Amino acid sequence: MSAFLTYLLNGLAVGCAIALIASGLVVIHRVTGVVNFAQGTFAVVAGLCASSLLGLGLPHGASELAAVLAAAVAGLLTGLAAVGRPGTTPLSSLIVTLGVGVLAYAVEIVLWGDQPRSALGLAGSVTVAGARIQTQHLLVIVVTAVAFVALALFFGRTYLGKALTACASNPYAARVVGIDVRRMGLLAFALGGLLGGLAGVLVTPMRPISFDTDVTLIVNGFAAAVFGALTRPVITLGGALLLGVAETMAAGYGYGSHQLEIALGLMLVVMIVQAGRHPAISQEPT
């Protein structure tokens, strides 16, 4: 029972990191209609930046903050490439984000090499109901909770957040009342980069990160985002926690080599369920 609780708590921490990736996908898709397959790249950039800055002697806090800001800039640049040109279709923008992810591989290998990197996090562990959880994992859970509360307040209480929500609900009406939908799209990409970067600096002390780690991150993040239909952050959080717990349980009970397959399987099941709940609306013949 103690082992089960340990796997559960650690799984929640992994799920929280996935939730940050997935929330970036949701924010970008809600505002622009684009599925950003470069979302995992933002986490990798932040993780590698944090590792390098800490290695240069920059203190904790400053290193992670600079790394998250670098990821936000990467998100903004991706947004400029994907939705910066008026009239770009969501499908074209999706293809652009795939290209950005491939380009990022080359840049990351040139800057950091192809070997995995890690960073020191919070040392020690905490005992909860007889189960031990690493302090870094506990930090991930707390930061994710704060991030989701902050997002809720941002979208619900601030003018900028309401402008983003208006673009998501009705872009045409948003333009009519003077909201620059293109700028809101770029802001959504920057916010997605920030959320991805936050996940990156939190995950790097938990597991080594390299240029191709974004594949696992985006698979898990996309699975969770699909669980929330790419529009509902709270349900997305639930999907991410489910994935995190499932993967950790699989690793804990001897199936660690099949973690990615578990994520893909769950994503497939969720997509089938979502398709059943939201069947395509047939068009009447004209």
Side-chain angles (χ1 to χ4, degrees), residues 250-279:
Y253 290 107
Y255 299 94
S257 60
H258 300 291
Q259 287 179 311
L260 186 58
E261 288 83 351
I262 290 173
L264 288 171
L266 284 175
M267 182 173 70
L268 179 60
V269 171
V270 167
M271 291 178 71
I272 293 173
V273 171
Q274 290 290 351
R277 290 179 179 177
H278 306 283

Side-chain angles (χ1 to χ4, degrees), residues 75-258:
L76 178 60
L77 293 176
T78 302
L80 285 170
V83 299
R85 183 177 179 181
T88 305
T89 65
L91 179 58
S92 298
S93 297
L94 182 152
I95 295 172
V96 169
T97 65
L98 286 171
V100 169
V102 174
L103 176 62
Y105 276 18
V107 174
E108 288 158 3
I109 291 175
V110 169
L111 294 178
W112 290 286
D114 59 356
Q115 297 302 309
R117 288 173 172 248
S118 189
L120 293 176
L122 293 180
S125 60
V126 178
T127 302
V128 179
R132 298 186 68 83
I133 178 172
Q134 295 180 17
T135 309
Q136 180 68 28
H137 288 194
L138 188 61
L139 176 66
V140 174
I141 294 173
V142 172
V143 171
T144 301
V146 172
F148 269 80
V149 170
L151 282 175
L153 293 175
F154 173 72
F155 282 105
R157 300 290 182 86
T158 68
Y159 173 80
L160 193 57
K162 291 179 179 179
L164 285 167
T165 302
C167 292
S169 301
N170 193 325
Y172 177 76
R175 290 190 185 94
V176 169
V177 298
I179 297 174
D180 191 327
V181 176
R182 175 178 170 273
R183 287 186 179 180
M184 292 299 104
L186 295 178
L187 177 60
F189 267 90
L191 183 56
L194 188 146
L195 290 167
L198 190 58
V201 299
L202 291 171
V203 166
T204 303
M206 295 165 54
R207 60 181 66 177
I209 195 167
S210 63
F211 71 96
D212 58 352
T213 306
D214 69 306
V215 175
T216 302
L217 295 175
I218 190 61
V219 166
N220 284 286
F222 184 62
V226 168
F227 192 86
L230 287 167
T231 56
R232 293 171 286 184
V234 175
I235 298 179
T236 295
L237 174 61
L241 295 178
L242 174 63
L243 280 171
V245 170
E247 291 190 7
T248 304
M249 290 291 181
Y253 290 107
Y255 299 94
S257 60
H258 300 291

